[in-house]
Amino acid sequence: MKLIFEKSVPGRRASRTAAGDVPPIGIAPDLLRPSPAPLPELSELDVVRHFTELSRRNFGVDSNFYPLGSCTMKYNPKVAEHIASYPGFADLHPLLPQLRIGGMLTQGALRVLYEMDLLLREITGMAGFTMQPLAGAHGELTGMMIMAAYHRERGNSKTTVLIPDSAHGTNPASAAIAGYEVVSIPSNDHGLMDVEAVRQHLSDEIAGLMLTCPNTLGLFNPQVKEICDLIHGVDGLAYYDGANLNAIVGKARPGDFGFDIVHLNLHKTFATPHGGGGPGAGPVGVKENLLPFLPVSVVVKRGDGTYTLEYDRAKSIGYIAPFYGNFAVVLRAYVYILMLGKEGLRRVAENAVLNANYVKEKLRGHYRSSVDGLCKHECVFSISEEMAQNEVRAIDVAKTLIDRGFHPPTVYFPTTVKEALMIEPTETESKETLDAFIDAMIDIAERAGIEPETLKSAPTTTVVCRPDETVAAKNLNIACLEQKTAAL
Amino acid sequence: MPFIPNTAQQQQQMLAEIGLTMDDLFGDIPEEFRTRQFKLPPALSEQQVRNRLWELAEKNATDLICFLGGGFYDHFIPAAVHAMISRSEFYTSYTPYQPELSQGTLQAIYEYQSMICRLTDMEVANASLYDGGTALYEAMMMALRITGRNKVIIDDSVNPIYRVMMVSYTRNLRIELDQTCCRDGLANRTELLEKIDDKTAAVILQNPNFFGCIDDFSDVADAVHTKGGLLIVSCHPISLGILKTPGAMAADIVTGEGQSLGIPMSFGGPYLGFMASRKQFVRKMPGRVAGQTVDQSGRRAYVLTLQAREQHIRRAKATSNICSNEALCALTALVYLCLLGPEGLRQTAQLCADKASYAYERLTAIPGIRPHFRGKWFFNEFVLDLPSEAADVIAKLIEKGFAAGFPLSRYYDDMANSILICVTEKRTKQEIGMLAEALESVL
């Protein structure tokens, strides 16, 4: 398919700008660019056809089953998209509430932020949230900054954060960027963070711990409270990475386990669209003693029932985003929670866990299960011994699934499992869909024994097949700079 | 139950097949943690939710005539933008880990990166960052990595919203963040030249700056390059329809807020941080990057590339902790720029400058109102000094139906009477006239 730049025809125009109704101003020529930016010249239909064709080369949750482990690719309700486009939200200038009396003109938006805070408090067991973090990883960084502010206030000179080896890469990266050293704790034979291993690493240097629970193997750590207690014993803080909250939402709360700071991924648990890799939102919640450190501004409700923004908070870590977070994402998540209600949220966790265990049980015997027993929202397999003998790899299973119409699971993560296939079905998938996926997975496992070469040449139904990543990195081409035009 | 398809009967059937009960499924959670009665509201129907949210939306004043900017602008958005980004194959997909199923997103990112390079006159760009502020912070961190130094100079004409973010982010790090005070609305050359030394990792400037003033940083680029440091420029993408590019000024890293490129204001986000740089620095650049390659049959294809820099490979040693980009917002900007084309973008930028200039003339003709900076070129925003406190005057104008501007006292101690007024191509001569009359009436 051609690049948009290769479709350009000199002189062609799409939208027309409204004619000027004031005299033109001639800015000094040395402050101007010598010629217009070299953008493509297209008709509106050229643009629409181009992006329609691109969209057809994409696969979303709306296309079919998307069991990408650790990403919670659940259905994104259309009602949330509809509401996010209401002019009263979409056209609202973020600086308006910072004008005197301007806050009274944004009461609807401030109320959404305020009520979302209350809802997330109850869901997680925390004392207060900031909606500002613009993504999950941004939430992690915010959480680490709060951790640092806490220790600074107490005069602690702590240097180190403990993180399990099965954690998402963002955990160590966020801790490092906040100025901490990271010590990786190896998982035990059951795939969990070991209480003894934590105990061995305890010292006055420990600022805190980052833990995902259930973890990236889909396992809930029954000793989570003991781990939090150990960390508290050295005046450390326990950080909950909420990437996998979908497994326990409406059932149990990280705040009750003993965590001091949590971040949530609204684009996972609360069904806002992933957008092809963003925008997301990563609200951060803290326990009572950490409330003063939350970023400014904070939405508060006044005695007269109106909402306002508070800026004057001496201990705050300061500003981490330009305004109040990815408001339109928070809004969608708010809509989702209102739609589901208390009962619905509990059903989310139950069905997410049921679906994962159903898939796990049905695939056991065809793929090697990374750990025995229950899983929560996702299950991790690796290829069977027979497949390995035939030199079939996890990537070949993934690519063959594409030809069967499914998005593959996450592969090669967590890195603690060799040839990992990480499957997260989510609660929004039906038994029929799961059965079709399971059948495809079993059939692929069988074919791996009979005709492994067909797996290695998959996919055959897509517009490209196994693009060469080495060539991409070596002959780096990340922008088309020369001005091209369509052949006339 | 909304969005959960399996019936109670199906759930029972599945549980029976795996030999477990629903309670068994949560048996690994200690009982003390799973008996809670949540205090959450009952479910609402779609109609109830839409009615409630419509009421809340109506409580937000989006009918004010908007002269409020400050780096976030009310531009016209062609209908085709929303139509394209609403295709759910785009918005319900995730980061393109499987390139065979993501050529749409990947090619779009590649085209977006190309567009950013063309706009800014730079050689490389990433797949986007969260917003203009975090992009500027990432640019600063990138400059520290490239130079191995830890001193950064930032002029106070850079958007103060970004500057306060930089302060938060650097608090726990060994970074010396030094500030210069702009003179006459432009980056302070005397102070900058005095402060730039061989410990300087980067100078951070903005064009047009927070006051709307247009500058050319070529001299600063020379000065900082001589000492082995870098020039970082934050810029307003619409202005690049006509203004001299950061690339032409020899900037090393360019960032900016892409909200103006077809993204609604949405009360603060989601927005789009763009970042561009020179080829020699590409491996130090944070964030996702899409690259062109070939597939097994030699067909042109796109993949995520340079992943060895990223957190999922490098973990604690990654260039950044960023995991996603703002893919859908980047797509929005791409579609917008395709629809405008070179001439549309030039006209839009020129109209912003023309209308701002007209408004400036019209408002400075009012007795008692003076320009804050004399004789400077400005783009879409300018600063006026009012005879009384700007915050008061703005409040009075809200009652007359105008979001008339931003009171600079919020960020600058000596500017109590100064107002920052923004005029985009959407404002008409008539609306500017109405603002002038309303302003005169409240002074």
Side-chain angles (χ1 to χ4, degrees), chain B residues 136-317:
Chain B
L136 195 56
Y137 150 72
E138 291 279 10
M140 176 184 71
M141 299 301 284
M142 179 177 164
L144 301 179
R145 285 193 296 276
I146 292 170
T147 60
R149 301 175 179 180
N150 74 339
K151 184 176 143 185
V152 175
I153 306 167
I154 187 165
D155 192 76
D156 74 353
S157 59
V158 173
N159 195 325
I161 296 169
Y162 298 167
R163 285 188 285 117
V164 292
M165 287 167 68
M166 312 278 266
V167 169
S168 309
Y169 286 124
T170 53
R171 192 174 285 176
N172 306 313
L173 308 176
R174 281 187 287 275
I175 296 171
E176 192 187 324
L177 200 55
D178 204 352
Q179 190 163 288
T180 52
C181 298
C182 75
R183 181 178 290 176
D184 267 351
L186 298 181
N188 188 330
R189 301 316 206 260
T190 321
E191 231 187 315
L192 278 171
L193 294 181
E194 215 174 85
K195 292 193 176 198
I196 295 171
D197 59 24
D198 54 14
K199 293 191 182 73
T200 307
V203 172
I204 302 177
L205 300 172
Q206 179 177 321
N207 191 51
N209 65 27
F210 186 64
F211 307 116
C213 297
I214 305 170
D215 207 337
D216 178 351
F217 303 134
S218 303
D219 57 333
V220 184
D222 280 349
V224 70
H225 289 158
T226 306
K227 300 285 186 185
L230 306 180
L231 174 65
I232 298 171
V233 174
S234 177
C235 61
H236 173 26
I238 296 285
S239 77
L240 295 175
I242 55 172
L243 293 190
K244 184 170 179 176
T245 62
M249 298 175 194
D252 301 285
I253 310 172
V254 179
T255 64
E257 175 51 66
Q259 175 271 324
S260 290
L261 303 174
I263 299 166
M265 293 185 288
S266 292
F267 203 51
Y271 289 163
L272 170 70
F274 62 85
M275 173 180 276
S277 186
R278 310 200 165 280
K279 215 165 190 172
Q280 73 210 76
F281 301 135
V282 70
R283 280 164 214 276
K284 303 280 185 193
M285 185 167 67
R288 299 270 193 225
V289 178
Q292 199 178 86
T293 183
V294 289
D295 80 344
Q296 287 192 334
S297 322
R299 290 174 291 197
R300 187 158 74 177
Y302 303 87
V303 292
L304 290 177
T305 191
L306 298 178
Q307 296 195 69
R309 306 162 297 126
E310 293 190 62
Q311 47 75 28
H312 60 288
I313 312 275
R314 295 269 286 168
R315 300 181 76 87
K317 294 188 170 63

Side-chain angles (χ1 to χ4, degrees), chain A residues 18-45:
Chain A
D21 54 0
V22 300
I25 176 85
I27 295 170
D30 56 337
L31 295 174
L32 300 178
R33 70 188 299 160
S35 56
L39 308 184
E41 298 177 79
L42 306 151
S43 71
E44 183 166 322
L45 183 55

Side-chain angles (χ1 to χ4, degrees), chain A residues 1-6 13-15 17-18 21 25-26 31-33 37-40 50 54-55 57-62 66 71 78 82 88-90 92-95 98 100 105-106 108-109 122 135 137-138 152 167 169-170 174 176-178 247 250 252-253 256 273-279 311 317 319-320 322 324-328 338-342 351 355 362 374 376 399 427-428 430-432 463-466 468 473 477-480 482-483, chain B residues 1 3 5-6 10-11 14 17 24-26 28 33 36-39 41 43-44 50 56-57 60-62 68-69 72 87-95 98 100-105 107 110-111 113-115 117-119 130-131 137 165 168-169 171-173 240 242-245 264-271 283 291-296 299-300 302-303 311 315-316 321 324-328 339 342-343 347 350-351 354 377 389 391-392 398 410 429:
Chain A
M1 175 179 174
K2 282 182 175 174
L3 285 166
I4 193 75
F5 307 104
E6 295 161 344
R13 294 285 304 273
S15 59
T17 314
D21 54 0
I25 176 85
L31 295 174
L32 300 178
R33 70 188 299 160
L39 308 184
H50 180 77
L54 282 183
S55 74
R57 293 173 165 235
N58 239 28
F59 187 102
V61 175
D62 286 7
Y66 206 131
C71 299
K78 301 301 170 195
H82 177 80
F89 295 125
L92 193 58
H93 198 291
L95 282 172
Q98 300 186 21
R100 200 171 294 167
L105 305 175
T106 57
E122 176 61 17
H138 199 217
R152 196 181 320 118
T170 48
S174 299
I177 281 161
R253 314 194 301 173
D256 296 342
H274 283 70
Y311 290 89
I317 60 165
Y319 296 78
I320 57 117
Y324 328 105
N326 278 342
F327 175 78
L338 293 186
M339 290 287 294
L340 283 167
K342 171 184 163 181
N351 283 276
N355 282 357
K362 295 277 178 174
L374 272 183
K376 289 267 88 51
K399 299 300 184 192
E427 77 284 359
T428 61
S430 66
K431 178 173 180 296
E432 304 90 273
V463 289
V464 297
C465 173
R466 305 203 187 194
D468 193 326
N477 172 359
I478 61 171
C480 166
E482 70 271 41
Q483 189 64 329
Chain B
M1 199 53 64
F3 322 127
N6 283 334
Q10 280 182 310
Q11 291 169 30
M14 290 165 72
E17 282 190 44
D24 292 342
L25 289 179
F26 293 88
D28 49 0
F33 299 137
R36 185 180 171 80
Q37 281 303 311
F38 282 80
K39 296 186 196 75
L44 300 177
R50 280 169 60 173
L56 288 180
N60 301 320
T62 47
L68 192 54
F72 309 89
R87 292 196 58 94
S88 70
E89 297 89 340
F90 285 130
Y91 80 79
T92 71
S93 65
Y94 192 43
T95 301
Q98 292 290 339
E100 289 91 342
L101 293 180
S102 321
Q103 285 300 296
T105 293
Q107 182 172 332
Y110 177 88
E111 291 178 351
Q113 290 167 183
S114 307
M115 282 289 198
C117 290
R118 287 161 179 240
L119 263 187
Y130 307 132
D131 81 299
Y137 150 72
M165 287 167 68
S168 309
Y169 286 124
R171 192 174 285 176
N172 306 313
L173 308 176
L240 295 175
I242 55 172
L243 293 190
K244 184 170 179 176
T245 62
M265 293 185 288
S266 292
F267 203 51
Y271 289 163
R283 280 164 214 276
Q292 199 178 86
T293 183
V294 289
D295 80 344
Q296 287 192 334
R299 290 174 291 197
R300 187 158 74 177
Y302 303 87
V303 292
Q311 47 75 28
R315 300 181 76 87
N321 73 329
S324 54
N325 59 337
E326 298 282 291
L328 199 67
L339 288 167
E343 189 54 23
Q347 281 180 0
Q350 186 65 47
L351 281 172
D354 294 345
W377 293 106
E389 240 184 73
D392 272 342
I398 283 178
R410 190 172 175 85
K429 184 178 178 180

